[in-house]
Amino acid sequence: VQLQASGGGSVQAGGSLRLSCEASERTFNRFAMAWFRQAPGKEREFVAAISQSGERTYYADSVKGRFTFSRDNAKDTAYLQMITLKPEDTAAYYCAATLSQLNIFAKAPAFFEYWGLGTLVTVSS
């Protein structure tokens, strides 16, 4: 599957953005999804994950309560709604997919087989 992330941009602290991740396959509902982010000079870190059906979501503590991960399997697209953005949220955001739903519990890049190119989010203070 090919993943296309979009929706990044520059906002001021407290602002909002919605990222999208569109998949190339109509079997999108086979994949559990995740968002990771990577700031300059830092390792790629887990942000959020969602089950194949969308019923279950998981978040990093740093974004819990501010980010919402959802998906529309009919549109082969996942979304990351981000509110109350902080300067420390500045990073390139990557969507990732795995055929094994259990992999999302690992919350680690190595467990995801498919990746999109990043979309840059910049939050200014």
Side-chain angles (χ1 to χ4, degrees), residues 1-34:
V1 64
Q2 293 184 334
L3 303 174
Q4 179 67 51
S6 62
S10 296
V11 297
Q12 291 190 328
S16 302
L17 283 173
R18 188 177 81 157
L19 306 183
S20 298
C21 178
E22 185 174 1
S24 61
E25 289 195 5
R26 301 307 303 273
T27 55
F28 179 63
N29 60 3
R30 295 172 56 200
F31 297 89
M33 304 292 296

PDB file of all heavy atoms in Angstrom, residues 1-34:
ATOM      1  N   VAL A   1       0.836  -1.180   0.000  1.00  0.00           N
ATOM      2  CA  VAL A   1       0.000   0.000   0.000  1.00  0.00           C
ATOM      3  C   VAL A   1       0.879   1.241   0.000  1.00  0.00           C
ATOM      4  O   VAL A   1       1.943   1.256   0.618  1.00  0.00           O
ATOM      5  CB  VAL A   1      -0.943   0.010   1.220  1.00  0.00           C
ATOM      6  CG1 VAL A   1      -0.176   0.085   2.535  1.00  0.00           C
ATOM      7  CG2 VAL A   1      -1.945   1.162   1.117  1.00  0.00           C
ATOM      8  N   GLN A   2       0.452   2.257  -0.718  1.00  0.00           N
ATOM      9  CA  GLN A   2       1.146   3.543  -0.695  1.00  0.00           C
ATOM     10  C   GLN A   2       0.333   4.527   0.121  1.00  0.00           C
ATOM     11  O   GLN A   2      -0.891   4.555   0.039  1.00  0.00           O
ATOM     12  CB  GLN A   2       1.343   4.068  -2.116  1.00  0.00           C
ATOM     13  CG  GLN A   2       2.296   3.211  -2.944  1.00  0.00           C
ATOM     14  CD  GLN A   2       2.564   3.793  -4.314  1.00  0.00           C
ATOM     15  OE1 GLN A   2       1.738   4.520  -4.847  1.00  0.00           O
ATOM     16  NE2 GLN A   2       3.722   3.495  -4.877  1.00  0.00           N
ATOM     17  N   LEU A   3       1.040   5.300   0.930  1.00  0.00           N
ATOM     18  CA  LEU A   3       0.389   6.252   1.819  1.00  0.00           C
ATOM     19  C   LEU A   3       0.820   7.668   1.454  1.00  0.00           C
ATOM     20  O   LEU A   3       1.992   7.933   1.233  1.00  0.00           O
ATOM     21  CB  LEU A   3       0.778   5.958   3.273  1.00  0.00           C
ATOM     22  CG  LEU A   3       0.478   4.552   3.775  1.00  0.00           C
ATOM     23  CD1 LEU A   3       1.061   4.350   5.180  1.00  0.00           C
ATOM     24  CD2 LEU A   3      -1.012   4.281   3.768  1.00  0.00           C
ATOM     25  N   GLN A   4      -0.151   8.564   1.434  1.00  0.00           N
ATOM     26  CA  GLN A   4       0.122   9.959   1.114  1.00  0.00           C
ATOM     27  C   GLN A   4      -0.373  10.835   2.250  1.00  0.00           C
ATOM     28  O   GLN A   4      -1.586  10.954   2.463  1.00  0.00           O
ATOM     29  CB  GLN A   4      -0.576  10.349  -0.194  1.00  0.00           C
ATOM     30  CG  GLN A   4      -0.367  11.807  -0.590  1.00  0.00           C
ATOM     31  CD  GLN A   4       1.071  12.111  -0.943  1.00  0.00           C
ATOM     32  OE1 GLN A   4       1.682  11.410  -1.748  1.00  0.00           O
ATOM     33  NE2 GLN A   4       1.621  13.143  -0.332  1.00  0.00           N
ATOM     34  N   ALA A   5       0.560  11.438   2.963  1.00  0.00           N
ATOM     35  CA  ALA A   5       0.205  12.326   4.070  1.00  0.00           C
ATOM     36  C   ALA A   5       0.128  13.757   3.575  1.00  0.00           C
ATOM     37  O   ALA A   5       0.896  14.177   2.703  1.00  0.00           O
ATOM     38  CB  ALA A   5       1.230  12.212   5.186  1.00  0.00           C
ATOM     39  N   SER A   6      -0.800  14.503   4.147  1.00  0.00           N
ATOM     40  CA  SER A   6      -0.954  15.911   3.776  1.00  0.00           C
ATOM     41  C   SER A   6      -1.564  16.670   4.948  1.00  0.00           C
ATOM     42  O   SER A   6      -1.990  16.061   5.937  1.00  0.00           O
ATOM     43  CB  SER A   6      -1.837  16.049   2.537  1.00  0.00           C
ATOM     44  OG  SER A   6      -3.133  15.540   2.796  1.00  0.00           O
ATOM     45  N   GLY A   7      -1.597  17.990   4.823  1.00  0.00           N
ATOM     46  CA  GLY A   7      -2.257  18.802   5.825  1.00  0.00           C
ATOM     47  C   GLY A   7      -1.333  19.560   6.755  1.00  0.00           C
ATOM     48  O   GLY A   7      -1.795  20.339   7.596  1.00  0.00           O
ATOM     49  N   GLY A   8      -0.045  19.335   6.616  1.00  0.00           N
ATOM     50  CA  GLY A   8       0.893  20.064   7.462  1.00  0.00           C
ATOM     51  C   GLY A   8       0.913  21.546   7.122  1.00  0.00           C
ATOM     52  O   GLY A   8       0.381  21.977   6.101  1.00  0.00           O
ATOM     53  N   GLY A   9       1.518  22.323   8.002  1.00  0.00           N
ATOM     54  CA  GLY A   9       1.619  23.751   7.771  1.00  0.00           C
ATOM     55  C   GLY A   9       2.222  24.450   8.969  1.00  0.00           C
ATOM     56  O   GLY A   9       2.732  23.797   9.885  1.00  0.00           O
ATOM     57  N   SER A  10       2.151  25.759   8.938  1.00  0.00           N
ATOM     58  CA  SER A  10       2.693  26.577  10.021  1.00  0.00           C
ATOM     59  C   SER A  10       1.548  27.255  10.766  1.00  0.00           C
ATOM     60  O   SER A  10       0.691  27.884  10.138  1.00  0.00           O
ATOM     61  CB  SER A  10       3.635  27.638   9.460  1.00  0.00           C
ATOM     62  OG  SER A  10       4.752  27.046   8.844  1.00  0.00           O
ATOM     63  N   VAL A  11       1.545  27.107  12.076  1.00  0.00           N
ATOM     64  CA  VAL A  11       0.506  27.725  12.909  1.00  0.00           C
ATOM     65  C   VAL A  11       1.147  28.308  14.154  1.00  0.00           C
ATOM     66  O   VAL A  11       2.268  27.944  14.522  1.00  0.00           O
ATOM     67  CB  VAL A  11      -0.593  26.718  13.327  1.00  0.00           C
ATOM     68  CG1 VAL A  11      -1.330  26.187  12.113  1.00  0.00           C
ATOM     69  CG2 VAL A  11       0.003  25.583  14.138  1.00  0.00           C
ATOM     70  N   GLN A  12       0.413  29.159  14.808  1.00  0.00           N
ATOM     71  CA  GLN A  12       0.873  29.685  16.083  1.00  0.00           C
ATOM     72  C   GLN A  12       0.439  28.746  17.197  1.00  0.00           C
ATOM     73  O   GLN A  12      -0.503  27.959  17.045  1.00  0.00           O
ATOM     74  CB  GLN A  12       0.310  31.079  16.313  1.00  0.00           C
ATOM     75  CG  GLN A  12       0.896  32.131  15.378  1.00  0.00           C
ATOM     76  CD  GLN A  12       0.500  33.535  15.781  1.00  0.00           C
ATOM     77  OE1 GLN A  12      -0.587  33.752  16.318  1.00  0.00           O
ATOM     78  NE2 GLN A  12       1.368  34.496  15.513  1.00  0.00           N
ATOM     79  N   ALA A  13       1.130  28.838  18.308  1.00  0.00           N
ATOM     80  CA  ALA A  13       0.782  28.025  19.470  1.00  0.00           C
ATOM     81  C   ALA A  13      -0.679  28.243  19.830  1.00  0.00           C
ATOM     82  O   ALA A  13      -1.173  29.366  19.795  1.00  0.00           O
ATOM     83  CB  ALA A  13       1.675  28.383  20.648  1.00  0.00           C
ATOM     84  N   GLY A  14      -1.355  27.132  20.126  1.00  0.00           N
ATOM     85  CA  GLY A  14      -2.779  27.177  20.414  1.00  0.00           C
ATOM     86  C   GLY A  14      -3.648  26.912  19.214  1.00  0.00           C
ATOM     87  O   GLY A  14      -4.864  26.719  19.346  1.00  0.00           O
ATOM     88  N   GLY A  15      -3.032  26.897  18.049  1.00  0.00           N
ATOM     89  CA  GLY A  15      -3.773  26.668  16.816  1.00  0.00           C
ATOM     90  C   GLY A  15      -4.077  25.211  16.565  1.00  0.00           C
ATOM     91  O   GLY A  15      -3.740  24.329  17.369  1.00  0.00           O
ATOM     92  N   SER A  16      -4.688  24.954  15.410  1.00  0.00           N
ATOM     93  CA  SER A  16      -5.127  23.604  15.056  1.00  0.00           C
ATOM     94  C   SER A  16      -4.732  23.262  13.628  1.00  0.00           C
ATOM     95  O   SER A  16      -4.596  24.153  12.774  1.00  0.00           O
ATOM     96  CB  SER A  16      -6.652  23.494  15.177  1.00  0.00           C
ATOM     97  OG  SER A  16      -7.092  23.818  16.473  1.00  0.00           O
ATOM     98  N   LEU A  17      -4.556  21.982  13.396  1.00  0.00           N
ATOM     99  CA  LEU A  17      -4.331  21.452  12.059  1.00  0.00           C
ATOM    100  C   LEU A  17      -4.970  20.080  11.967  1.00  0.00           C
ATOM    101  O   LEU A  17      -5.100  19.387  12.987  1.00  0.00           O
ATOM    102  CB  LEU A  17      -2.838  21.318  11.755  1.00  0.00           C
ATOM    103  CG  LEU A  17      -2.035  22.574  11.398  1.00  0.00           C
ATOM    104  CD1 LEU A  17      -0.549  22.228  11.317  1.00  0.00           C
ATOM    105  CD2 LEU A  17      -2.509  23.199  10.108  1.00  0.00           C
ATOM    106  N   ARG A  18      -5.332  19.668  10.763  1.00  0.00           N
ATOM    107  CA  ARG A  18      -5.778  18.301  10.551  1.00  0.00           C
ATOM    108  C   ARG A  18      -4.927  17.672   9.464  1.00  0.00           C
ATOM    109  O   ARG A  18      -4.892  18.145   8.329  1.00  0.00           O
ATOM    110  CB  ARG A  18      -7.248  18.245  10.151  1.00  0.00           C
ATOM    111  CG  ARG A  18      -7.774  16.812  10.118  1.00  0.00           C
ATOM    112  CD  ARG A  18      -9.241  16.709   9.795  1.00  0.00           C
ATOM    113  NE  ARG A  18      -9.498  16.810   8.370  1.00  0.00           N
ATOM    114  CZ  ARG A  18     -10.596  16.314   7.785  1.00  0.00           C
ATOM    115  NH1 ARG A  18     -11.501  15.691   8.513  1.00  0.00           N
ATOM    116  NH2 ARG A  18     -10.782  16.476   6.495  1.00  0.00           N
ATOM    117  N   LEU A  19      -4.267  16.606   9.844  1.00  0.00           N
ATOM    118  CA  LEU A  19      -3.468  15.841   8.895  1.00  0.00           C
ATOM    119  C   LEU A  19      -4.321  14.731   8.299  1.00  0.00           C
ATOM    120  O   LEU A  19      -5.186  14.168   8.973  1.00  0.00           O
ATOM    121  CB  LEU A  19      -2.243  15.240   9.575  1.00  0.00           C
ATOM    122  CG  LEU A  19      -1.326  16.201  10.330  1.00  0.00           C
ATOM    123  CD1 LEU A  19      -0.115  15.443  10.871  1.00  0.00           C
ATOM    124  CD2 LEU A  19      -0.902  17.358   9.467  1.00  0.00           C
ATOM    125  N   SER A  20      -4.051  14.427   7.053  1.00  0.00           N
ATOM    126  CA  SER A  20      -4.727  13.321   6.372  1.00  0.00           C
ATOM    127  C   SER A  20      -3.696  12.326   5.874  1.00  0.00           C
ATOM    128  O   SER A  20      -2.571  12.701   5.540  1.00  0.00           O
ATOM    129  CB  SER A  20      -5.551  13.831   5.195  1.00  0.00           C
ATOM    130  OG  SER A  20      -6.557  14.713   5.614  1.00  0.00           O
ATOM    131  N   CYS A  21      -4.094  11.084   5.828  1.00  0.00           N
ATOM    132  CA  CYS A  21      -3.245  10.027   5.271  1.00  0.00           C
ATOM    133  C   CYS A  21      -4.127   9.185   4.360  1.00  0.00           C
ATOM    134  O   CYS A  21      -4.997   8.455   4.834  1.00  0.00           O
ATOM    135  CB  CYS A  21      -2.642   9.184   6.379  1.00  0.00           C
ATOM    136  SG  CYS A  21      -1.624   7.808   5.779  1.00  0.00           S
ATOM    137  N   GLU A  22      -3.910   9.317   3.067  1.00  0.00           N
ATOM    138  CA  GLU A  22      -4.718   8.599   2.088  1.00  0.00           C
ATOM    139  C   GLU A  22      -3.958   7.381   1.591  1.00  0.00           C
ATOM    140  O   GLU A  22      -2.790   7.461   1.218  1.00  0.00           O
ATOM    141  CB  GLU A  22      -5.076   9.510   0.918  1.00  0.00           C
ATOM    142  CG  GLU A  22      -6.018   8.869  -0.081  1.00  0.00           C
ATOM    143  CD  GLU A  22      -6.482   9.832  -1.149  1.00  0.00           C
ATOM    144  OE1 GLU A  22      -6.041  11.000  -1.124  1.00  0.00           O
ATOM    145  OE2 GLU A  22      -7.271   9.423  -2.008  1.00  0.00           O
ATOM    146  N   ALA A  23      -4.640   6.259   1.569  1.00  0.00           N
ATOM    147  CA  ALA A  23      -4.027   5.013   1.121  1.00  0.00           C
ATOM    148  C   ALA A  23      -4.408   4.722  -0.323  1.00  0.00           C
ATOM    149  O   ALA A  23      -5.476   5.111  -0.794  1.00  0.00           O
ATOM    150  CB  ALA A  23      -4.483   3.874   2.015  1.00  0.00           C
ATOM    151  N   SER A  24      -3.533   4.006  -0.989  1.00  0.00           N
ATOM    152  CA  SER A  24      -3.744   3.718  -2.405  1.00  0.00           C
ATOM    153  C   SER A  24      -4.617   2.504  -2.631  1.00  0.00           C
ATOM    154  O   SER A  24      -5.058   2.258  -3.743  1.00  0.00           O
ATOM    155  CB  SER A  24      -2.387   3.494  -3.085  1.00  0.00           C
ATOM    156  OG  SER A  24      -1.730   2.387  -2.508  1.00  0.00           O
ATOM    157  N   GLU A  25      -4.845   1.737  -1.583  1.00  0.00           N
ATOM    158  CA  GLU A  25      -5.567   0.490  -1.762  1.00  0.00           C
ATOM    159  C   GLU A  25      -6.993   0.547  -1.222  1.00  0.00           C
ATOM    160  O   GLU A  25      -7.252   1.172  -0.203  1.00  0.00           O
ATOM    161  CB  GLU A  25      -4.828  -0.656  -1.051  1.00  0.00           C
ATOM    162  CG  GLU A  25      -3.526  -1.057  -1.720  1.00  0.00           C
ATOM    163  CD  GLU A  25      -3.024  -2.393  -1.226  1.00  0.00           C
ATOM    164  OE1 GLU A  25      -3.726  -3.055  -0.431  1.00  0.00           O
ATOM    165  OE2 GLU A  25      -1.918  -2.774  -1.639  1.00  0.00           O
ATOM    166  N   ARG A  26      -7.887  -0.157  -1.920  1.00  0.00           N
ATOM    167  CA  ARG A  26      -9.256  -0.234  -1.445  1.00  0.00           C
ATOM    168  C   ARG A  26      -9.411  -1.208  -0.290  1.00  0.00           C
ATOM    169  O   ARG A  26     -10.492  -1.321   0.276  1.00  0.00           O
ATOM    170  CB  ARG A  26     -10.184  -0.620  -2.589  1.00  0.00           C
ATOM    171  CG  ARG A  26     -10.146   0.350  -3.761  1.00  0.00           C
ATOM    172  CD  ARG A  26     -10.379   1.787  -3.311  1.00  0.00           C
ATOM    173  NE  ARG A  26     -11.616   1.966  -2.604  1.00  0.00           N
ATOM    174  CZ  ARG A  26     -12.769   2.222  -3.203  1.00  0.00           C
ATOM    175  NH1 ARG A  26     -12.833   2.287  -4.515  1.00  0.00           N
ATOM    176  NH2 ARG A  26     -13.857   2.411  -2.489  1.00  0.00           N
ATOM    177  N   THR A  27      -8.319  -1.914   0.052  1.00  0.00           N
ATOM    178  CA  THR A  27      -8.357  -2.820   1.209  1.00  0.00           C
ATOM    179  C   THR A  27      -7.789  -2.109   2.426  1.00  0.00           C
ATOM    180  O   THR A  27      -7.166  -2.721   3.290  1.00  0.00           O
ATOM    181  CB  THR A  27      -7.555  -4.093   0.919  1.00  0.00           C
ATOM    182  OG1 THR A  27      -6.223  -3.734   0.530  1.00  0.00           O
ATOM    183  CG2 THR A  27      -8.220  -4.912  -0.151  1.00  0.00           C
ATOM    184  N   PHE A  28      -7.996  -0.827   2.484  1.00  0.00           N
ATOM    185  CA  PHE A  28      -7.482   0.011   3.573  1.00  0.00           C
ATOM    186  C   PHE A  28      -7.893  -0.523   4.931  1.00  0.00           C
ATOM    187  O   PHE A  28      -7.132  -0.420   5.895  1.00  0.00           O
ATOM    188  CB  PHE A  28      -8.010   1.434   3.371  1.00  0.00           C
ATOM    189  CG  PHE A  28      -7.588   2.422   4.414  1.00  0.00           C
ATOM    190  CD1 PHE A  28      -6.259   2.738   4.602  1.00  0.00           C
ATOM    191  CD2 PHE A  28      -8.529   3.064   5.201  1.00  0.00           C
ATOM    192  CE1 PHE A  28      -5.864   3.669   5.557  1.00  0.00           C
ATOM    193  CE2 PHE A  28      -8.154   3.998   6.157  1.00  0.00           C
ATOM    194  CZ  PHE A  28      -6.824   4.297   6.334  1.00  0.00           C
ATOM    195  N   ASN A  29      -9.069  -1.121   5.026  1.00  0.00           N
ATOM    196  CA  ASN A  29      -9.557  -1.578   6.325  1.00  0.00           C
ATOM    197  C   ASN A  29      -8.802  -2.795   6.848  1.00  0.00           C
ATOM    198  O   ASN A  29      -9.064  -3.257   7.959  1.00  0.00           O
ATOM    199  CB  ASN A  29     -11.055  -1.854   6.273  1.00  0.00           C
ATOM    200  CG  ASN A  29     -11.409  -2.924   5.255  1.00  0.00           C
ATOM    201  OD1 ASN A  29     -10.535  -3.502   4.626  1.00  0.00           O
ATOM    202  ND2 ASN A  29     -12.695  -3.182   5.104  1.00  0.00           N
ATOM    203  N   ARG A  30      -7.867  -3.323   6.082  1.00  0.00           N
ATOM    204  CA  ARG A  30      -7.023  -4.417   6.547  1.00  0.00           C
ATOM    205  C   ARG A  30      -5.871  -3.910   7.408  1.00  0.00           C
ATOM    206  O   ARG A  30      -5.204  -4.696   8.088  1.00  0.00           O
ATOM    207  CB  ARG A  30      -6.440  -5.175   5.364  1.00  0.00           C
ATOM    208  CG  ARG A  30      -7.448  -5.888   4.492  1.00  0.00           C
ATOM    209  CD  ARG A  30      -6.763  -6.434   3.243  1.00  0.00           C
ATOM    210  NE  ARG A  30      -5.642  -7.297   3.585  1.00  0.00           N
ATOM    211  CZ  ARG A  30      -4.651  -7.604   2.759  1.00  0.00           C
ATOM    212  NH1 ARG A  30      -4.624  -7.077   1.545  1.00  0.00           N
ATOM    213  NH2 ARG A  30      -3.683  -8.416   3.131  1.00  0.00           N
ATOM    214  N   PHE A  31      -5.614  -2.612   7.331  1.00  0.00           N
ATOM    215  CA  PHE A  31      -4.424  -2.065   7.958  1.00  0.00           C
ATOM    216  C   PHE A  31      -4.751  -1.310   9.245  1.00  0.00           C
ATOM    217  O   PHE A  31      -5.647  -0.469   9.272  1.00  0.00           O
ATOM    218  CB  PHE A  31      -3.722  -1.103   7.000  1.00  0.00           C
ATOM    219  CG  PHE A  31      -3.210  -1.742   5.743  1.00  0.00           C
ATOM    220  CD1 PHE A  31      -4.022  -1.836   4.617  1.00  0.00           C
ATOM    221  CD2 PHE A  31      -1.928  -2.261   5.697  1.00  0.00           C
ATOM    222  CE1 PHE A  31      -3.561  -2.441   3.459  1.00  0.00           C
ATOM    223  CE2 PHE A  31      -1.455  -2.862   4.541  1.00  0.00           C
ATOM    224  CZ  PHE A  31      -2.268  -2.959   3.416  1.00  0.00           C
ATOM    225  N   ALA A  32      -3.998  -1.609  10.291  1.00  0.00           N
ATOM    226  CA  ALA A  32      -3.961  -0.723  11.447  1.00  0.00           C
ATOM    227  C   ALA A  32      -2.998   0.410  11.100  1.00  0.00           C
ATOM    228  O   ALA A  32      -2.031   0.216  10.366  1.00  0.00           O
ATOM    229  CB  ALA A  32      -3.486  -1.480  12.672  1.00  0.00           C
ATOM    230  N   MET A  33      -3.289   1.585  11.632  1.00  0.00           N
ATOM    231  CA  MET A  33      -2.549   2.781  11.229  1.00  0.00           C
ATOM    232  C   MET A  33      -1.932   3.472  12.429  1.00  0.00           C
ATOM    233  O   MET A  33      -2.389   3.316  13.568  1.00  0.00           O
ATOM    234  CB  MET A  33      -3.492   3.770  10.531  1.00  0.00           C
ATOM    235  CG  MET A  33      -4.243   3.217   9.337  1.00  0.00           C
ATOM    236  SD  MET A  33      -3.130   2.864   7.971  1.00  0.00           S
ATOM    237  CE  MET A  33      -2.536   4.513   7.589  1.00  0.00           C
ATOM    238  N   ALA A  34      -0.933   4.273  12.139  1.00  0.00           N
ATOM    239  CA  ALA A  34      -0.299   5.059  13.195  1.00  0.00           C
ATOM    240  C   ALA A  34       0.276   6.340  12.610  1.00  0.00           C
ATOM    241  O   ALA A  34       0.503   6.441  11.401  1.00  0.00           O
ATOM    242  CB  ALA A  34       0.806   4.261  13.884  1.00  0.00           C
TER     243      ALA A  34
END
